[in-house]
Amino acid sequence: MLGRNTADSETDLSQWKGNIHIPRYSSQRLSWLFLSVLLSISACTEAPPENSQQTRSADTLRVVTLISPTTYYQTDYGPSGFEYELAMDFSKSIGLKLEIQAAKTINDLFKLLDSGQADIAAASLTGTAQRQEHYKFSPPYLETAEVVLYKSGSRRPRNIEGLRDKSILVRKRTSHAQTLSRLKKEHPWLSWTETNEAETFEILGMLDEELIDFTVMDSHDYEINKAYFPQLTIAFRLNEPQPLVWMQLKDGNKTLEKKVDIFFDEIRKNGRLEELTERHFGHTTHIDRIGAFTFARNVERKFPEYEELIKQVAKEENIDWRLLAAISYQESHWNPTATSPTGVRGMMMLTQATAREMGVENRIDARQSLSGGTRYYHKIKRRIPSRIKDPDRSWFALAAYNVGMGHMEDARVLTQRQGGNPDKWLDVMQRLPLLQKPEVYSKLRHGYARGNEPVVYVQRIRHYYNVLAWEEKIKNTKPPPTQLARFVPEKLTKVNRLHAL
């Protein structure tokens, strides 16, 4: 039975958007989708011109970043992204106003840093030896490995030899280009193309459309995007995990350097770094490629049949329609007549008892089920302590909708007993699976529960919500007349023609 929790008023889910996800569509729609995303969010915040004589305000921290799912982007609720939240936390900790500069390319990012127009570069940058010659690194906060991506169904390369005579496209001045340059010393035949035109989105689209053979990407970026390109997968890893760091000029502000070091030490110790990491990346591990493909297909084929009804019910019941759509998909895959072996039924998979409690006369009536399930969600969310704020409050309510309020409270009690924070989803999520262990549940009030299920349940709903939110954001964008092929360098176009022969 799907977790039944809803906000007292319309849920503020701004912090759910830890990632931008792009569903897989037809070739034509995919091409304009990527380009429209790039054009629309690039317009949100542009970096100053190269010849800008902008002077720094003494009370301002200038951070340059890139627009991407793992760094910074604009949402309907304002700025978001893992690097953005880190930078905001740091600026607050040192009492400065944050000024974000969004560079369009890696090259532009380093130009702003080199020219002194930015104090810090924070953009999921890999701390390579080459970069360390010119920049001061912060303490590492995440690790990532560089991986070769290919399209499933084509021949998988097992090692560097498999890249011989193939088309490879990477972004200019990235760590990926540096790694390929290093590998070329051992493999002189290795060749690739670097672009300053196409963004990661376009490159993934080219690979999905088989306009190129391979690309190289950081593993954490792949984890974010894999759900929306379910046919793209890892061929092999180019190196061992490398640190992600912030960068400053080596001859820059020494006081600021020390404050950065202190900040990362503090957030690692107090759990804030772990909390942000889970918020932005945690749900990616609970969606496999098949599940992602199925959802994307259902969004395109099945969701339009129920979209207006879901939006109407959401408005009537005061809930974000994207959340209601995500819950109902997790429950029934938008099937009003769905029935489980345990007897729960309908779009929201209500038990008979819950249906009676919520005034639902016909569980397989889509409107009644959606309304009843939403009211039940609201009821559960009202029982979550008011001191717990969103997004954690919504996540607790979803988990309780799935496993029951009693078991959720048991998990919170267990969390407190073990020294964790019972008001943080990250801490409680780690204890929920323990409710399956006899030595644990025997000492709790409500006993045994399949505690891993609410964890998967919540994380999947977060994922579905993100997809629907982004689809809504871009679907009314007028598609430009360009196609992805426009971004494929002529050299690679020729290579692909040869492959076709």
Side-chain angles (χ1 to χ4, degrees):
M1 178 179 67
L2 160 69
R4 321 198 177 303
N5 46 77
T6 275
D8 308 330
S9 58
E10 181 167 345
T11 308
D12 177 5
L13 294 173
S14 60
Q15 297 184 75
W16 285 45
K17 299 182 180 181
N19 309 287
I20 299 176
H21 297 295
I22 310 298
R24 188 174 187 274
Y25 296 99
S26 64
S27 176
Q28 181 178 6
R29 186 177 184 191
L30 182 63
S31 63
W32 71 255
L33 185 152
F34 281 131
L35 296 175
S36 63
V37 168
L38 181 63
L39 292 172
S40 64
I41 62 180
S42 291
C44 296
T45 308
E46 290 194 5
E50 187 177 348
N51 61 356
S52 171
Q53 298 300 314
Q54 182 186 45
T55 58
R56 177 187 174 184
S57 172
D59 64 349
T60 300
L61 174 71
R62 301 169 303 173
V63 174
V64 62
T65 188
L66 298 169
I67 297 173
S68 82
T70 57
T71 54
Y72 164 81
Y73 55 92
Q74 290 283 348
T75 74
D76 294 340
Y77 301 95
S80 188
F82 178 76
E83 293 286 0
Y84 170 77
E85 289 206 52
L86 270 182
M88 180 61 74
D89 282 0
F90 175 60
S91 66
K92 289 179 180 178
S93 74
I94 61 175
L96 295 180
K97 178 183 177 182
L98 177 63
E99 178 185 296
I100 288 287
Q101 302 177 58
K104 293 182 178 179
T105 67
I106 288 279
N107 197 51
D108 290 342
L109 177 144
F110 282 114
K111 283 182 178 179
L112 287 167
L113 186 60
D114 293 343
S115 65
Q117 295 179 62
D119 304 307
I120 295 172
S124 293
L125 300 170
T126 306
T128 64
Q130 185 174 341
R131 287 171 173 172
Q132 197 165 26
E133 294 177 3
H134 306 283
Y135 304 104
K136 167 67 171 64
F137 291 174
S138 72
Y141 50 92
L142 288 177
E143 284 190 336
T144 191
E146 293 175 299
V147 295
V148 173
L149 297 185
Y150 78 110
K151 185 170 183 178
S152 179
S154 60
R155 184 182 294 275
R156 175 187 175 183
R158 300 290 176 174
N159 50 45
I160 196 75
E161 287 294 328
L163 306 183
R164 190 185 290 269
D165 298 325
K166 299 293 185 179
S167 57
I168 306 169
L169 182 63
V170 298
R171 296 178 66 189
K172 184 174 290 186
R173 207 173 173 182
T174 58
S175 60
H176 315 138
Q178 293 178 9
T179 297
L180 291 172
S181 295
R182 176 177 54 79
L183 289 170
K184 188 174 179 63
K185 295 176 182 178
E186 303 174 18
H187 308 277
W189 51 263
L190 183 62
S191 65
W192 65 94
T193 299
E194 298 176 22
T195 177
N196 220 11
E197 298 295 324
E199 297 295 327
T200 300
F201 295 138
E202 281 86 11
I203 293 176
L204 289 174
M206 293 178 210
L207 184 58
D208 197 51
E209 296 297 314
E210 300 182 89
L211 297 173
I212 59 176
D213 294 317
F214 306 111
T215 189
V216 180
M217 177 177 280
D218 290 333
S219 56
H220 75 294
D221 275 335
Y222 168 72
E223 291 298 325
I224 291 296
N225 287 286
K226 69 178 182 180
Y228 301 92
F229 294 93
Q231 291 186 285
L232 303 187
T233 189
I234 295 174
F236 62 93
R237 195 166 66 178
L238 284 178
N239 53 23
E240 294 301 313
Q242 306 293 309
L244 296 183
V245 296
W246 284 0
M247 297 184 189
Q248 298 172 249
L249 292 178
K250 273 204 166 181
D251 58 353
N253 187 324
K254 301 302 180 182
T255 300
L256 186 62
E257 287 180 13
K258 293 179 180 178
K259 289 181 178 180
V260 168
D261 291 346
I262 292 171
F263 168 72
F264 277 105
D265 183 57
E266 288 179 346
I267 64 171
R268 190 177 298 279
K269 289 178 178 177
N270 65 23
R272 176 60 173 169
L273 179 58
E274 185 181 15
E275 177 186 343
L276 287 178
T277 301
E278 196 286 326
R279 178 181 298 173
H280 289 276
F281 305 112
H283 60 83
T284 61
T285 60
H286 291 85
I287 298 291
D288 59 23
R289 292 195 300 126
I290 295 176
F293 178 80
T294 301
F295 180 65
R297 183 177 59 188
N298 280 325
V299 167
E300 189 170 7
R301 298 179 182 179
K302 199 169 186 179
F303 180 63
E305 182 179 353
Y306 299 103
E307 181 174 3
E308 287 307 312
L309 175 60
I310 288 173
K311 288 181 176 179
Q312 290 172 10
V313 172
K315 184 176 181 179
E316 293 167 3
E317 302 294 346
N318 199 21
I319 186 175
D320 187 325
W321 71 262
R322 293 161 293 194
L323 176 58
L324 179 56
I327 296 174
S328 55
Y329 180 80
Q330 173 62 25
E331 288 292 344
S332 67
H333 284 206
W334 298 318
N335 178 6
T337 62
T339 303
S340 81
T342 59
V344 294
R345 303 193 70 189
M347 187 81 87
M348 298 287 276
M349 296 298 278
L350 303 177
T351 65
Q352 288 184 337
T354 300
R356 285 194 299 269
E357 182 182 356
M358 296 297 109
V360 174
E361 296 179 356
N362 182 359
R363 287 185 291 166
I364 62 173
D365 179 278
R367 173 179 285 276
Q368 289 189 44
S369 183
L370 289 166
S371 295
T374 302
R375 291 194 297 273
Y376 189 71
Y377 170 83
H378 281 308
K379 178 180 178 179
I380 288 180
K381 192 167 184 180
R382 285 192 292 269
R383 295 175 62 189
I384 303 296
S386 59
R387 67 177 179 274
I388 301 176
K389 305 303 180 183
D390 273 322
D392 293 78
R393 193 167 183 229
S394 293
W395 297 342
F396 279 130
L398 285 170
Y401 187 100
N402 175 258
V403 76
M405 181 61 78
H407 293 304
M408 172 53 62
E409 286 302 303
D410 277 352
R412 295 183 64 236
V413 168
L414 178 62
T415 301
Q416 188 169 38
R417 288 178 185 174
Q418 294 185 348
N421 187 340
D423 293 347
K424 289 291 185 183
W425 169 248
L426 174 61
D427 288 5
V428 177
M429 178 182 74
Q430 295 170 354
R431 273 76 179 190
L432 272 164
L434 299 180
L435 301 186
Q436 300 171 143
K437 295 180 175 291
E439 64 272 23
V440 174
Y441 70 71
S442 61
K443 298 176 183 178
L444 295 169
R445 181 177 179 183
H446 297 91
Y448 170 84
R450 296 193 298 271
N452 61 310
E453 292 184 5
V455 174
V456 174
Y457 181 85
V458 173
Q459 304 301 72
R460 285 181 176 175
I461 288 175
R462 289 169 60 188
H463 166 82
Y464 301 144
Y465 178 93
N466 286 340
V467 175
L468 293 166
W470 188 249
E471 163 69 4
E472 177 69 11
K473 184 179 179 65
I474 55 85
K475 77 174 185 179
N476 294 321
T477 305
K478 183 179 179 180
T482 51
Q483 299 292 317
L484 280 177
R486 173 187 174 187
F487 287 88
V488 182
E490 179 65 18
K491 174 183 176 181
L492 295 188
T493 302
K494 292 178 180 178
V495 171
N496 278 288
R497 286 173 184 163
L498 290 174
H499 290 172
L501 296 175

